[in-house]
Amino acid sequence: GTTAGSPTTTWPALAAALGGVELVNLGLSGNALLDPFVARVVRDTPADLISVKIGINVVNADLMRLRAFTPAVHGFLDTVREGHPTTPLLVVSPVLCPVQEDTPGPLLPDFDGGTVRFRALGDPAESAGGKLTLRAVRDELARITAQRAAGDPNLYHLDGRSLYGEADAAELPLPDALHPDAAGHRRIGERFAGLVFAPGGPFAAGDG
């Protein structure tokens, strides 16, 4: 929610309000790193609908390689499913972030010129050795969810670029190259509600 207008206008809060649901948000600043204890919290928290947005902080922290990322995602989802075996569960990949689409982390702030902007310090060539980029994360999340959905009909996938993609970045660029501004949060929240809570969406009333 960094750079959002207020706590109630972060995109998850906006999406929940538009979808008519009560929000429990575990998106703590700088986290969403597939920590097992977070999966256990989700597992043990009553929920009618669950969404997990995975990827951006894993990449910008340069936290793990593809070899570790894949089983970490499976382990996280396995743990959630222990407590919610049939609850609609949506896996959302990262929204567009040009500085990390094809360049691995770590991502660090640059204070040059008196404004904060983030830049990726990795070498794009390192992605061939398993260093994560947003593009690699999206591809792997799509593969994992497709594989698991064969035996889990209530598991869904959403490409984050459908919430904020290239056209959105041109119109509403990320002010610090990483976080959406207030208008960006509103657009992402409205898009999420329109895609996910609308008839035929993963969280549509009466579906699942």
Side-chain angles (χ1 to χ4, degrees), residues 106-192:
L107 198 73
L108 291 178
D110 185 343
F111 297 96
D112 185 37
T115 59
V116 179
R117 289 185 64 81
F118 287 85
R119 59 191 181 95
L121 303 183
D123 181 351
E126 294 177 302
S127 61
K131 266 201 158 190
L132 293 176
T133 64
L134 295 187
R135 201 176 304 276
V137 163
R138 286 193 204 96
D139 289 345
E140 189 63 4
L141 289 176
R143 188 193 68 80
I144 289 170
T145 52
Q147 180 187 57
R148 295 178 66 101
D152 185 348
N154 294 310
L155 179 67
Y156 305 92
H157 172 260
L158 180 66
D159 188 318
R161 291 170 298 184
S162 64
L163 302 175
Y164 180 92
E166 291 186 5
D168 304 298
E171 181 184 351
L172 299 171
L174 306 173
D176 61 1
L178 179 61
H179 301 99
D181 60 11
H185 273 278
R186 179 162 297 280
R187 177 161 299 182
I188 293 169
E190 291 173 349
R191 288 263 179 84
F192 186 96

Side-chain angles (χ1 to χ4, degrees), residues 1 3-7 9-10 181-182 185:
T3 69
S6 69
T9 55
T10 61
D181 60 11
H185 273 278

Side-chain angles (χ1 to χ4, degrees), residues 3-181:
T3 69
S6 69
T8 57
T9 55
T10 61
W11 76 261
L14 290 168
L18 291 168
V21 298
E22 182 179 347
L23 175 67
V24 177
N25 186 358
L26 299 178
L28 306 178
S29 178
N31 287 279
L33 298 174
L34 295 170
D35 294 305
F37 71 87
V38 175
R40 292 194 293 272
V41 170
V42 177
R43 177 194 65 191
D44 298 338
T45 300
D48 298 311
L49 309 165
I50 300 169
S51 66
V52 290
K53 190 169 182 300
I54 299 171
I56 183 68
N57 286 349
V58 173
V59 173
N60 65 40
D62 192 24
L63 186 68
M64 58 182 70
R65 303 297 180 262
L66 183 63
R67 171 62 181 84
F69 178 74
T70 300
V73 172
H74 278 294
F76 195 98
L77 297 177
D78 286 345
T79 299
V80 171
R81 277 304 191 217
E82 288 173 3
H84 302 280
T86 60
T87 301
L89 171 56
L90 175 65
V91 175
V92 186
S93 67
V95 302
L96 187 84
C97 182
V99 296
Q100 292 221 271
E101 288 300 311
D102 298 296
T103 303
L107 198 73
L108 291 178
D110 185 343
F111 297 96
D112 185 37
T115 59
V116 179
R117 289 185 64 81
F118 287 85
R119 59 191 181 95
L121 303 183
D123 181 351
E126 294 177 302
S127 61
K131 266 201 158 190
L132 293 176
T133 64
L134 295 187
R135 201 176 304 276
V137 163
R138 286 193 204 96
D139 289 345
E140 189 63 4
L141 289 176
R143 188 193 68 80
I144 289 170
T145 52
Q147 180 187 57
R148 295 178 66 101
D152 185 348
N154 294 310
L155 179 67
Y156 305 92
H157 172 260
L158 180 66
D159 188 318
R161 291 170 298 184
S162 64
L163 302 175
Y164 180 92
E166 291 186 5
D168 304 298
E171 181 184 351
L172 299 171
L174 306 173
D176 61 1
L178 179 61
H179 301 99
D181 60 11

